[in-house]
Amino acid sequence: MEYVTIMEAARRCGVSDKTIRRAIHNGLLPARFPKPNRSEIALSDLERFAPGQTPGHVQVSTEDRITALEQRVQVLEQQVLDLLSGPERGISRHSSRKERRTTGPLPRNLVSLTSFTQLHNVAETKVLAHVDISLLSAKRGEWTDHDGAMVTLALDAKGKRAFYQIYHGVPPFVECKQCPHEDTWTLSRHKGKYSGQQV
C-alpha cells in the first residue's frame, strides 16, 4: 500500500495541509504515525476522502487558484497606487482652485529651507532626509530669495512650526526670536490684539 505525507495529500486534493490535519483529527481521514512527528495517509483512503480528484484535476484547480490570486494582487497593487497618488490629486484639485506660485520671487509667507536650517543651526542634510520621508512638509518650487539666491524648498507657517517641534531641544538647535513660530494672530489675540499676520 502506498502512503503520502500530509503536505502531499493536501497538494493532491487541492486543499491546505490544515484541512487534511483537521480531517485526520476529526476521524474523517485515517492516518498512520510511523514516527512521533510524522503522519502518513494511504492513497486509497485519500481517494475516498476526495473522490474524483485526479492529479490532473488538482493541477487545473491549483492553476485557477494561482490565476485568481494574481488578479487579486493586481487589484491590490492598483489600490495602493491610487492611495499613494491620492494626496497629489488632492493638491492638484486645490491648486486649480487657488493657484500657487512656484516660480518668481519667494512669496512673503514662505522662508527658504536652507536659510531656516542655518538660522537654527540644524544640519541641512538631516532636514532634507526628513523632508524626503515626509516627516517635515516643505513647499517645492523655483523661487528667488531677496538676496538673489535660488530657493527650491521652502517652509510655510505650518512647516516652521513642525520644524520647531521636531528639532527644538536637540543639540545643536538654536532658537531664534520668533521661536516657536506660532501664528502671531494667535499670540496677539492672547494680548488683546488681532494683527492677523504670520511669523
Side-chain angles (χ1 to χ4, degrees):
M1 187 175 290
E2 190 178 349
Y3 289 87
V4 293
T5 63
I6 288 178
M7 296 303 287
E8 178 61 18
R11 188 191 70 75
R12 289 179 181 230
C13 294
V15 296
S16 71
D17 61 310
K18 289 181 181 179
T19 301
I20 299 294
R21 291 178 201 280
R22 271 196 300 271
I24 293 170
H25 181 73
N26 293 333
L28 301 172
L29 183 62
R32 72 177 189 174
F33 300 89
K35 294 180 182 175
N37 291 333
R38 181 179 173 88
S39 56
E40 297 177 335
I41 300 127
L43 278 179
S44 56
D45 291 330
L46 191 61
E47 288 171 4
R48 284 193 292 273
F49 174 72
Q53 291 280 7
T54 61
H57 180 72
V58 171
Q59 188 176 4
V60 169
S61 115
T62 302
E63 287 174 4
D64 290 344
R65 288 172 56 202
I66 289 171
T67 302
L69 286 172
E70 286 173 345
Q71 290 171 348
R72 286 179 61 193
V73 167
Q74 287 176 350
V75 168
L76 289 171
E77 285 174 343
Q78 186 58 50
Q79 289 175 345
V80 168
L81 288 173
D82 290 345
L83 286 172
L84 290 175
S85 66
E88 291 174 6
R89 284 187 294 182
I91 287 171
S92 66
R93 279 198 303 268
H94 181 69
S95 297
S96 63
R97 277 187 252 133
K98 181 182 177 184
E99 277 191 43
R100 287 189 181 162
R101 194 172 46 150
T102 57
T103 58
L106 185 66
R108 291 182 64 186
N109 66 321
L110 298 179
V111 64
S112 161
L113 181 71
T114 301
S115 301
F116 206 71
T117 57
Q118 290 171 355
L119 177 66
H120 292 89
N121 201 33
V122 178
E124 189 173 0
T125 52
K126 180 197 292 189
V127 176
L128 290 174
H130 290 158
V131 169
D132 286 343
I133 62 170
S134 300
L135 180 64
L136 180 65
S137 174
K139 306 296 178 191
R140 297 182 186 274
E142 291 183 5
W143 302 285
T144 307
D145 207 347
H146 60 85
D147 59 0
M150 179 60 83
V151 176
T152 55
L153 286 171
L155 296 174
D156 59 6
K158 182 178 175 185
K160 289 186 272 188
R161 283 192 304 275
F163 185 99
Y164 176 81
Q165 290 171 350
I166 294 168
Y167 303 112
H168 84 91
V170 180
F173 180 87
V174 175
E175 286 197 11
C176 71
K177 293 177 184 176
Q178 297 171 338
C179 282
H181 298 282
E182 301 275 335
D183 290 343
T184 54
W185 186 87
T186 306
L187 294 174
S188 299
R189 186 174 170 191
H190 293 298
K191 296 176 187 174
K193 299 175 186 174
Y194 294 87
S195 67
Q197 297 175 347
Q198 290 185 334
V199 178

